Amino acid sequence: MPLLSLRNSVFASIRGFIDALVHPSARQDPLTAARHRAFFAVKIFSGFSVLALLPLYLASRGTAGALEVTALLWALAPFLLVVYLSRSGQFERAHLLSAFALAGLVATLAVMTGGAASFAAPWVVVIALEASLSASRRLIVATISLAALTAFGLFTASANGWLAAYTAADLDLPALTLAGTLSAAVYAGMIALANSAFVRTGNEVRRLSEARYKLLAQNMSDVIARHAVDGAVTFISPAIEQLAGVPAAQLLGHKLFERVHIADRPAYLTALSDASRSNEPASVEFRLLCETSAAPVFAWVEMRARAIEGQAQQVVSVMRDISARKADALAVEQARNEAEKANDAKSKFLATVSHELRTPLNAIIGFSEMLAREQEMKLDLARRGEYASLIRDSGEHLLSVVNGILDMSRIEAGHFEIVAEPFSVRPLIESCRKMMSLRAEQAGVQLFTDLPDQLPELSADPRALWQVVINLVSNAIKFTERGGKIDLAARANGDQFELTVTDNGIGIPEADLARLGDPFFQGRSTYDRMYEGTGLGLSVVMGLVKLHGGSVHIESRLQKGTRVTVRMPLDCQPAAAVAGKNSVTKFPARNSAAADASRGMKKSA
């Protein structure tokens, strides 16, 4: 046990000494550092071996000749190479200098001991073998060339008898041949051991690298994938299972591509192609079909792809789920659109209200001034009555505009409380028809009703339904030309109440249908409109119907007419209770359209 501990301590000290020799530029890469350590180990071992064996050799021989002096000088070369590599970090240059030093030693010893038949001739093989530690193809080719030139030179010199005069006759050539062969074998074995150590280091580095990569791939939320030349997936990390909802093995090959939204596939393939053909990264956003517990959905994915260095046209990509970011961007876009719509509504509100208020106010002011100067104007009783009637009509119009704005603001603010109660629908609709019939007659429009005898009771707010019917019929009369007709129908459909107002008027452009119901919006409207009104009637209708838990559906074609269908539950009590939670103050609903109809009847009277 003490011997084992001593051995481990010695090896640790040697390893620590060799590690300290590695140049700082080589310490960052484990494989490069391993190559430097192998070079140092071989050189230090060979140098100390010569220095250790040379005294024994001299003791047996007695005197030191030229051969011994050459060996001693060469024993210093490995230490000089170790110092050079440790100081400079020039690995290939150190190997090349070592090859030249060894070639010079072999050539010198061979010249003095028999040329091509010398005991030093086997070391020619070691010249090229030592370069295998460098893992440099260029250096290996250079050392092979150097070894071949050395061998060819020795063979040529021996064949021509140029070395006979320099051969030491007093040497024990058989013993030297054995020593040269054994030393070459030992040195080659040292190189093989260094190579095996380097291979083990490389395998360990590769194993650790793969382990780190696997750890990252398995624990990263981002998906890592590797793509072949044709875009097929050869590897994909387990994080894809959280994103796509299927095992990673089911997405290999072209299975991932098949899950890309068909509209995004060209961009997906283009990004992979661009990345494989250049050193620049390529990015793309696409939709990926993902399996969820409810149903398959498309999730937005961002992919950044880049070519793998040293592997032509191979691509590695990193993908991440950006659905939340897309949703945020969509929310921002919607908020911007809403802000633009609000700004547009404000502009329309100012234009509409100024138009609707200016005309009656001018009339009120003008006729009031004329009445104030009746002595000067010499107005008779009939003219004063006419002016007073016009002032009253203008005031009622102003009141209807203000009531419409207040009704709409209360509905949007949740301050419009509805009180649902059972009542018969048929009398209410008949009353609305009678109220609007005179206005329809004045406009040259026929007003028809289609009401079943057995129309069930409706549990709703009768004031709100009254306002819905009046506003819809008023709109239909306003936008129906003379000679047209309006049909007002109601019926029960299961547990739903349906109210339909149909006209054959001017119709609504298809582009405006989506915006109908927006406050102050009127189809084909301009600042100089052909039809009066604030554009709030339909907004009030939709708000009141929504408070009852119902819906409004509009169908229209230009010059063909319009059909508005109101659907609400026969029992609106639950919806009214929910709407009441958001109500703060109870206001009576004002009927702007009723005021218009009332004004028309008074004028005709």
Side-chain angles (χ1 to χ4, degrees):
M1 224 23 218
L3 291 176
L4 180 61
S5 176
L6 178 62
R7 187 192 68 177
N8 292 338
S9 176
V10 170
F11 280 132
S13 299
I14 294 173
R15 182 177 180 84
F17 172 73
I18 293 177
D19 286 341
L21 293 174
V22 177
H23 192 267
S25 64
R27 293 174 186 171
Q28 305 301 321
D29 183 6
L31 294 180
T32 302
R35 290 192 180 97
H36 283 234
R37 285 194 297 269
F39 182 87
F40 292 143
V42 171
K43 293 304 173 186
I44 292 174
F45 174 80
S46 62
F48 276 115
S49 297
V50 173
L51 292 177
L53 293 174
L54 192 58
L56 297 177
Y57 175 79
L58 292 176
S60 64
R61 183 168 174 79
T63 60
L67 182 65
E68 290 76 13
V69 173
T70 301
L72 178 62
L73 293 176
W74 183 85
L76 300 176
F79 298 109
L80 296 176
L81 291 172
V82 167
V83 173
Y84 172 77
L85 179 58
S86 179
R87 295 288 181 86
S88 67
Q90 298 292 329
F91 185 68
E92 288 193 10
R93 188 173 297 176
H95 257 292
L96 191 60
L97 291 174
S98 175
F100 275 107
L102 186 58
L105 174 66
V106 171
T108 302
L109 293 177
V111 165
M112 293 186 296
T113 57
S118 170
F119 74 92
W123 279 80
V124 173
V125 178
V126 179
I127 297 173
L129 183 63
E130 188 181 35
S132 64
L133 294 174
S134 67
S136 170
R137 185 176 303 176
R138 181 179 59 182
L139 184 60
I140 292 174
V141 170
T143 54
I144 290 175
S145 302
L146 181 61
L149 287 173
T150 304
F152 181 75
L154 291 176
F155 175 79
T156 302
S158 298
N160 292 308
W162 296 342
L163 306 178
Y166 303 101
T167 303
D170 59 342
L171 295 177
D172 186 357
L173 294 181
L176 287 176
T177 301
L178 177 62
T181 304
L182 287 177
S183 60
V186 171
Y187 195 78
M190 283 294 301
I191 294 173
L193 288 174
N195 272 322
S196 67
F198 172 70
V199 170
R200 285 197 304 272
T201 302
N203 291 336
E204 182 66 16
V205 169
R206 188 180 302 108
R207 185 187 66 81
L208 292 176
S209 178
E210 290 177 353
R212 287 194 297 267
Y213 178 77
K214 186 176 181 180
L215 180 65
L216 289 174
Q218 290 179 343
N219 293 279
M220 283 180 63
S221 58
D222 292 350
V223 179
I224 302 173
R226 181 171 180 168
H227 305 264
V229 177
D230 60 351
V233 176
T234 58
F235 167 82
I236 193 164
S237 64
I240 191 64
E241 298 178 7
Q242 297 293 326
L243 175 60
V246 296
Q250 296 184 13
L251 297 175
L252 297 177
H254 293 286
K255 297 297 183 182
L256 179 66
F257 171 76
E258 293 173 1
R259 286 183 167 268
V260 177
H261 194 284
I262 190 169
D264 299 333
R265 290 178 182 178
Y268 171 84
L269 293 176
T270 299
L272 291 177
S273 176
D274 291 344
S276 68
R277 288 186 286 105
S278 66
N279 293 326
E280 298 298 324
S283 60
V284 65
E285 295 179 357
F286 60 89
R287 286 160 288 182
L288 184 69
L289 182 63
C290 301
E291 304 292 339
T292 63
S293 56
V297 296
F298 279 100
W300 276 100
V301 175
E302 179 187 51
M303 181 181 76
R304 292 181 61 84
R306 187 161 193 166
I308 302 176
E309 185 177 355
Q311 301 188 28
Q313 297 183 329
Q314 297 284 312
V315 173
V316 63
S317 66
V318 178
M319 291 171 276
R320 65 176 54 182
D321 186 357
I322 59 169
S323 299
R325 191 176 79 190
K326 281 287 186 179
D328 292 342
L330 181 60
V332 170
E333 180 66 18
Q334 290 177 343
R336 186 177 66 83
N337 291 337
E338 290 296 328
E340 290 178 353
K341 286 175 63 177
N343 187 60
D344 184 56
K346 179 191 71 174
S347 300
K348 288 184 178 296
F349 168 77
L350 294 175
T352 301
V353 170
S354 63
H355 175 87
E356 292 297 327
L357 299 182
R358 187 183 296 114
T359 301
L361 281 174
N362 286 337
I364 291 173
I365 294 171
F367 290 122
S368 298
E369 288 181 351
M370 294 177 71
L371 288 175
R373 297 164 55 193
E374 62 175 335
Q375 297 296 331
E376 181 183 344
M377 300 292 296
K378 298 181 179 181
L379 299 177
D380 56 19
L381 183 60
R383 184 63 59 87
R384 287 199 302 272
E386 180 184 356
Y387 289 170
S389 177
L390 291 171
I391 291 173
R392 181 201 60 201
D393 292 343
S394 298
E396 289 179 353
H397 179 69
L398 286 176
L399 181 61
S400 69
V401 171
V402 173
N403 284 339
I405 295 173
L406 291 177
D407 287 344
M408 191 66 243
S409 64
R410 284 199 294 268
I411 291 172
E412 289 188 339
H415 294 171
F416 194 109
E417 183 179 2
I418 59 173
V419 180
E421 60 184 53
F423 65 94
S424 180
V425 178
R426 185 184 177 93
L428 185 144
I429 296 178
E430 285 287 0
S431 175
C432 293
R433 183 192 65 79
K434 291 178 181 178
M435 179 177 176
M436 301 302 296
S437 60
L438 181 57
R439 185 173 176 185
E441 182 180 345
Q442 292 174 344
V445 176
Q446 293 179 299
L447 179 59
F448 300 97
T449 56
D450 180 12
L451 305 175
D453 294 334
Q454 302 300 323
L455 195 61
E457 283 190 342
L458 177 65
S459 181
D461 190 326
R463 301 168 306 145
L465 184 60
W466 172 279
Q467 193 163 354
V468 167
V469 176
I470 291 296
N471 279 334
L472 290 179
V473 174
S474 177
N475 269 354
I477 294 173
K478 183 189 300 184
F479 296 106
T480 301
E481 298 175 346
R482 285 188 171 274
K485 68 171 185 173
I486 299 170
D487 294 315
L488 176 61
R491 66 188 182 94
N493 185 4
D495 60 348
Q496 295 281 314
F497 168 74
E498 289 188 3
L499 174 70
T500 305
V501 178
T502 307
D503 65 65
N504 58 355
I506 61 173
I508 304 168
E510 185 177 355
D512 291 341
L513 284 175
R515 295 196 58 192
L516 287 181
D518 290 352
F520 310 110
F521 175 78
Q522 291 179 316
R524 301 176 63 180
S525 63
T526 62
Y527 293 156
D528 297 319
R529 295 183 316 281
M530 178 180 175
Y531 304 96
E532 67 174 17
T534 59
L536 287 174
L538 196 54
S539 300
V540 172
V541 168
M542 289 185 170
L544 292 175
V545 172
K546 184 177 180 181
L547 289 175
H548 284 80
S551 62
V552 179
H553 181 66
I554 303 173
E555 302 173 79
S556 184
R557 292 177 61 189
L558 281 176
Q559 305 305 322
K560 297 294 184 181
T562 302
R563 171 180 294 177
V564 181
T565 303
V566 174
R567 296 185 180 91
M568 61 176 65
L570 286 174
D571 184 5
C572 298
Q573 294 276 4
V578 173
K581 293 180 180 180
N582 298 324
S583 180
V584 178
T585 308
K586 182 175 179 181
F587 294 98
R590 301 302 302 266
N591 192 343
S592 60
D596 289 342
S598 172
R599 183 175 67 252
M601 288 187 290
K602 291 176 181 177
K603 287 178 68 176
S604 64

